[in-house]
Amino acid sequence: MDNKVYGYARVSTKHQSISRQIDNLKKVDSSIIIFQEAFTGTKMDRPVWNKLMKIVKEGDTIVFDEVSRMSRDAEEGFEAYKDLYNRGISLQFIKESTLNTDNFRNASTKSIEINVSTGSKLITKKSIEAKKKIKEYSKDFDGSLSDGDVIKLVGISRNSYYKYKGEMLA
C-alpha cells in the first residue's frame, strides 16, 4: 500500500493568487498531489476539501502552506485536525511546523489533551500527577500540610500550585 502525499491550497476568493502556496507545496515533495480551491476558510464544508477528506487514508500526509489554509475557525479546525490525527493521517504545516502531527506522535510519552470547548485548557500528565499529590497532602483536601510544605514536597512552582489548587476547588 503506497502512502500518498497530498497538498491542499486554498484562497478565499477567485481574485487571489494561489500560485505561491502551490510553489511551496511542490518544494515539500515533487510527487505531491495538489488539491486547490477558492472558498472561504470560515467553513469546513468546502467542495474540494470534502473530496480530499473522502480519498485520504491512514498513512497518507496532507501538506498545507499554513494552518489558516485548513481552517480559520479554531474549533472546527481543531476537530478536523483531531479527526485526521486519529485516522492515522499526517498533517504538515510549512509555516507552523510545530503543529505537524508527527511532533505529537513522536511525543507519545507526554500525554496532552486540549479541550477547545472549555477555552483551550491544557491538561498534561504533569498536572494530573501534581493534582493527585496536592489532594493527598494539602490540608484543604485529604492531607495535613500547609501550602508551602506541599509546594516543596510536590516540587512545582508556586504559580502552578495555586493554579492547580484553584482548578480543584472550582
Side-chain angles (χ1 to χ4, degrees), residues 70-88:
M70 184 171 92
S71 172
R72 292 224 172 157
D73 178 284
E75 194 167 339
E76 279 189 334
F78 180 71
E79 288 303 317
Y81 183 102
K82 197 166 62 171
D83 174 58
L84 291 163
Y85 178 88
N86 290 333
R87 287 173 50 195

Side-chain angles (χ1 to χ4, degrees), residues 4-169:
K4 293 190 167 71
V5 178
Y6 298 98
Y8 180 77
R10 183 189 58 75
V11 290
S12 297
T13 69
K14 291 177 180 166
H15 304 294
Q16 294 172 306
S17 174
I18 202 166
S19 60
R20 178 190 51 81
Q21 289 180 55
I22 293 172
D23 290 344
N24 290 343
L25 293 171
K26 287 179 180 177
K27 289 176 190 171
V28 171
D29 186 324
S30 59
S31 65
I32 197 166
I33 303 162
I34 296 178
F35 283 71
Q36 59 181 304
E37 68 185 323
F39 207 93
T40 180
T42 58
K43 297 179 173 144
M44 291 304 292
D45 187 19
R46 302 183 299 259
V48 176
W49 173 259
N50 292 341
K51 182 179 177 186
L52 176 58
M53 291 303 99
K54 286 179 185 165
I55 65 167
V56 71
K57 58 190 177 311
E58 184 176 353
D60 289 346
T61 299
I62 304 173
V63 182
F64 303 86
D65 188 44
E66 55 188 293
V67 73
S68 66
R69 300 304 85 202
M70 184 171 92
S71 172
R72 292 224 172 157
D73 178 284
E75 194 167 339
E76 279 189 334
F78 180 71
E79 288 303 317
Y81 183 102
K82 197 166 62 171
D83 174 58
L84 291 163
Y85 178 88
N86 290 333
R87 287 173 50 195
I89 297 160
S90 294
L91 302 178
Q92 185 177 344
F93 302 93
I94 296 169
K95 292 186 177 159
E96 298 101 353
S97 60
T98 55
L99 297 176
N100 293 353
T101 53
D102 290 348
N103 291 333
F104 296 105
R105 282 198 177 87
N106 295 336
S108 60
T109 58
K110 296 177 182 162
S111 173
I112 297 176
E113 176 187 315
I114 299 175
N115 188 337
V116 174
S117 63
T118 59
S120 297
K121 182 176 164 186
L122 198 60
I123 302 170
T124 63
K125 207 173 195 177
K126 180 183 172 186
S127 71
I128 293 167
E129 292 302 315
K131 286 179 181 179
K132 283 181 190 173
K133 290 178 182 176
I134 291 168
K135 185 173 182 342
E136 182 179 350
Y137 297 116
S138 172
K139 66 181 178 187
D140 294 320
F141 299 102
D142 301 333
S144 61
L145 298 178
S146 69
D147 290 341
D149 290 338
V150 177
I151 291 168
K152 289 177 194 165
L153 181 68
V154 176
I156 58 175
S157 73
R158 189 172 184 80
N159 286 345
S160 292
Y161 173 78
Y162 285 109
K163 176 184 165 195
Y164 297 155
K165 184 177 168 185
E167 288 172 0
M168 294 164 63
L169 290 169

